[in-house]
Amino acid sequence: MTSTGQYLTVNSYKNPDLFWAVRGGGGGTYGIVTSVTYRTHPSLPLTYVIFSANSTNNVTFSKLLAEFIRIQSSIADAGFSGYALIEPDSIQWFYIALNVTQAQANKTVDPFFAFANNLTSEGLNVSSALTQPFPSFYSWYTLYYTATGQEVGSNGEIASRLITREVIEQNPQALANTIISLNISVWKYVFINFMELYLRPLILEQSCSWWCCVESGP
């Protein structure tokens, strides 16, 4: 129901602009949703990848961050999506990939893990570098996001940037140096991949598979 009191049916064919809006962050800003019809999909297994490291050596950390940026295209092509927190001297990231085995995931990320391990002689401290399979998205979600007393939401001031695949592939070191030079407390890096194609019938806008969104904030 809209603010004018109209009852509307919204989907990909009827009021598609409003359908796009209420599925995003706007929610109740655009109207009150009184009923929903879901399109369901088969439950798929997934593999979870987590990595965290830090270094007080700026040159060493710059090398690591540049390599992390450089591999994003191949990680996307392998089916992963994820999130990273990047500080001036540390990085934490986790990615998941639906219908990707642990062996396939290892093949994708092991070169990066080996690269990071080689930097330990230059002052890099690697605290986590592993892959873990799950039978379903829900099993992964319940393990990591249903803890009692877990914080929901937070306050922060953010700014967003969209970075093209071309920029990532052509000059990852310059991008890494730029991020570090800004000396922002935390960069929240969101990566969306080709698994969006699995939900293509529900996606109105062009797939974001070629983009990375970087948010900076306190």
Side-chain angles (χ1 to χ4, degrees):
M1 184 174 68
T2 67
S3 60
T4 60
Q6 290 180 291
Y7 283 94
L8 300 176
T9 297
V10 297
N11 53 40
S12 300
Y13 306 99
K14 295 181 179 179
N15 304 293
D17 54 343
L18 188 56
F19 181 53
W20 181 87
V22 297
R23 292 193 308 148
T29 303
Y30 298 96
I32 300 172
V33 178
T34 58
S35 65
V36 178
T37 300
Y38 290 100
R39 175 178 292 172
T40 59
H41 299 269
S43 179
L44 296 173
L46 65 84
T47 297
Y48 171 64
V49 180
I50 185 170
F51 176 89
S52 60
N54 64 83
S55 178
T56 56
N57 186 314
N58 291 338
V59 174
T60 299
F61 185 68
S62 177
K63 290 179 182 178
L64 179 73
L65 183 55
E67 181 64 10
F68 169 73
I69 293 170
R70 188 191 68 79
I71 66 172
Q72 296 310 299
S73 295
S74 61
I75 286 183
D77 293 342
F80 284 88
S81 292
Y83 204 94
L85 298 178
I86 304 171
E87 299 183 50
D89 59 357
S90 67
I91 181 171
Q92 303 175 52
W93 58 271
F94 75 83
Y95 284 2
I96 63 173
L98 292 172
N99 214 25
V100 169
T101 66
Q102 187 174 24
Q104 291 170 324
N106 289 340
K107 184 177 180 181
T108 299
V109 300
D110 276 353
F112 176 78
F113 288 173
F115 181 90
N117 187 60
N118 288 336
L119 289 178
T120 56
S121 61
E122 301 179 28
L124 184 70
N125 175 42
V126 178
S127 53
S128 298
L130 61 88
T131 62
Q132 184 178 5
F134 287 85
S136 66
F137 178 87
Y138 185 70
S139 63
W140 171 77
Y141 170 79
T142 54
L143 179 62
Y144 288 102
Y145 291 98
T146 57
T148 303
Q150 185 174 356
E151 178 184 3
V152 178
S154 62
N155 294 322
E157 183 177 348
I158 64 174
S160 297
R161 304 290 186 270
L162 291 175
I163 303 173
T164 66
R165 180 170 180 146
E166 181 182 18
V167 170
I168 288 173
E169 293 178 341
Q170 290 184 355
N171 205 341
Q173 186 64 64
L175 185 55
N177 292 342
T178 300
I179 293 174
I180 294 173
S181 69
L182 294 175
N183 199 29
I184 296 172
S185 58
V186 179
W187 280 73
K188 299 176 181 179
Y189 176 99
V190 182
F191 194 83
I192 307 174
N193 68 31
F194 285 100
M195 285 309 296
E196 289 189 14
L197 298 177
Y198 180 68
L199 301 177
R200 181 175 289 279
L202 299 180
I203 297 174
L204 297 181
E205 62 277 17
Q206 183 179 356
S207 172
C208 296
S209 305
W210 294 83
W211 299 88
C212 301
C213 174
V214 180
E215 302 174 337
S216 60

